[in-house]
Amino acid sequence: MVDVTIRGAGIFGLSIAWACASRGASVQVIDPNGPAAGASGGIVGALAPHVPENWNSKKAFQLESLLMAGDFWQGVETTGGVPAGYGRTGRLQPIADDRTLDLARQRAVNAESLWQGEAVWEIVQTADLGPFAPSSATGHVIHDTLSARIHPRRACAALVAALEVRGVPIIAEAPDRGQIVHATGVDGLADLSRDRGKTVGVGVKGQAALLRFDAGSSPQLFVDGLHLIPHADGTLAIGSTSERDYDAPQTTDTLLDDVIDRAVAAMPILHGVAVIERWAGIRPRAKSRAPMLGRWPERPEHFIANGGFKIGFGMAPKVAEVMADLVLEGHDTVPEDFKVEASL
């Protein structure tokens, strides 16, 4: 007997499989391309929160997920024995001018209540930081302790190992059995768009680079629109572009060269550092710009989990929980803005 079939072995599919199997369900994961074959096989891994203001259901959901992440990934690693590269190391952002400094101070006040005392958003002086810190025109940077890092590709490998211990097969093809969750990324959005005769979501290309630079457990940086993520394996990820129009989904080009140049300009310590990998992939963005979660209208026993886009890994622990609630228990706690109908 199979209780749940999950189509798609990206971060949403694997995380939902883990949550269901952890509750005792019999699960199979089906993906003809194998685990992390799409956007989830990337290299950046910035688990960063939205700014603490104009609070809404999306930001509240993300906060809860980021706070769940430590226990989530520890459980995965303990079961499977494979490190996911997770670490709540924080983030630094330079403050360009006095207006931005005033805004950052107001957000620090907001964070005291909105982040429930679980993390801080504070203003610190660049002079008090180590060598892996951005320069700032004001001499100040934002430091938040909620942001975390993860190595996407390694995290998926950790989930695969943990699922194997739980007896969950990941196979190329098999008949659907039990409840069916469609976590099929860009291809799933394209299928839904064709079925509906209108755009339900699109793929957005991203390009990123991996450098041979060990910044240890330094906070990640967000500077000049770029994420710089020190990974636990001694590498540094830089990304990424956001391309709505593209011809070669998995090919890097001069746009990535520009990303690398901007990163070096912002952090001269990276001058001459070797680029060891160039990566490109297509990330699924739902029409609502939020994750698309819930029942598939007109298809009983079918569910959709899609649209992770840039925040899929950060949202994954909470997405897995609410989808397991819905699929296994019929308990629907999906925020209204995330429901499938919001993109249909």
Side-chain angles (χ1 to χ4, degrees), residues 162-181:
L163 288 169
E164 183 178 3
V165 171
R166 290 287 169 86
V168 177
I170 301 173
I171 49 185
E173 192 52 77
D176 289 336
R177 293 189 174 91
Q179 309 276 61
I180 302 98
V181 179

Side-chain angles (χ1 to χ4, degrees), residues 188-266:
L189 293 179
D191 290 342
L192 281 167
S193 296
R194 281 192 295 269
D195 290 346
R196 294 278 167 169
K198 61 181 181 180
T199 301
V200 171
V202 296
V204 179
K205 181 178 178 179
Q207 298 186 47
L210 199 64
L211 279 59
R212 193 181 303 282
F213 183 87
D214 190 351
S217 295
S218 299
Q220 62 184 269
L221 310 181
F222 184 67
V223 55
D224 191 20
L226 301 176
H227 296 280
L228 286 74
I229 314 296
H231 282 310
D233 63 358
T235 61
L236 177 75
I238 299 172
S240 63
T241 64
S242 289
E243 306 165 47
R244 289 288 299 272
D245 300 313
Y246 49 86
D247 295 320
Q250 295 180 317
T251 300
T252 62
D253 53 34
T254 57
L255 293 179
L256 181 55
D257 296 334
D258 177 65
V259 165
I260 297 170
D261 290 344
R262 285 161 53 203
V264 173

Side-chain angles (χ1 to χ4, degrees), residues 9 17 60 63 80 82 85 88 96 100 110 147 153-154 171 180 186 196 207 221 235 242 254 293 300 318 322 325 331:
L63 171 65
V82 174
R88 189 168 150 184
T100 308
N110 295 344
S147 295
R153 195 177 298 159
R154 293 175 183 267
I171 49 185
I180 302 98
V186 172
R196 294 278 167 169
Q207 298 186 47
L221 310 181
T235 61
S242 289
T254 57
L293 309 173
K318 185 65 176 175
V322 299
D325 286 343
H331 182 45

Side-chain angles (χ1 to χ4, degrees), residues 113-194:
S113 58
L114 294 175
W115 287 0
Q116 305 166 19
E118 297 288 346
V120 298
W121 171 292
E122 61 182 352
I123 313 304
V124 298
Q125 295 185 340
T126 53
D128 296 333
L129 302 171
F132 192 73
S135 62
S136 171
T138 61
H140 294 84
V141 300
I142 300 163
H143 173 232
D144 82 76
T145 62
L146 182 55
S147 295
R149 69 182 181 190
I150 201 162
H151 195 299
R153 195 177 298 159
R154 293 175 183 267
C156 288
L159 278 164
V160 169
L163 288 169
E164 183 178 3
V165 171
R166 290 287 169 86
V168 177
I170 301 173
I171 49 185
E173 192 52 77
D176 289 336
R177 293 189 174 91
Q179 309 276 61
I180 302 98
V181 179
H182 299 264
T184 47
V186 172
D187 290 344
L189 293 179
D191 290 342
L192 281 167
S193 296
R194 281 192 295 269

Side-chain angles (χ1 to χ4, degrees), residues 22-75:
S22 296
R23 299 187 190 190
S26 176
V27 183
Q28 64 176 358
V29 180
I30 300 171
D31 195 318
N33 299 309
S40 295
I43 56 177
V44 179
L47 310 187
H50 294 289
V51 295
E53 65 182 11
N54 300 324
W55 207 240
N56 56 34
S57 60
K58 181 178 181 179
K59 292 184 178 184
F61 189 102
Q62 185 197 45
L63 171 65
E64 190 169 352
S65 191
L66 291 173
L67 294 176
M68 293 169 60
D71 289 341
F72 180 90
W73 290 109
Q74 183 178 1

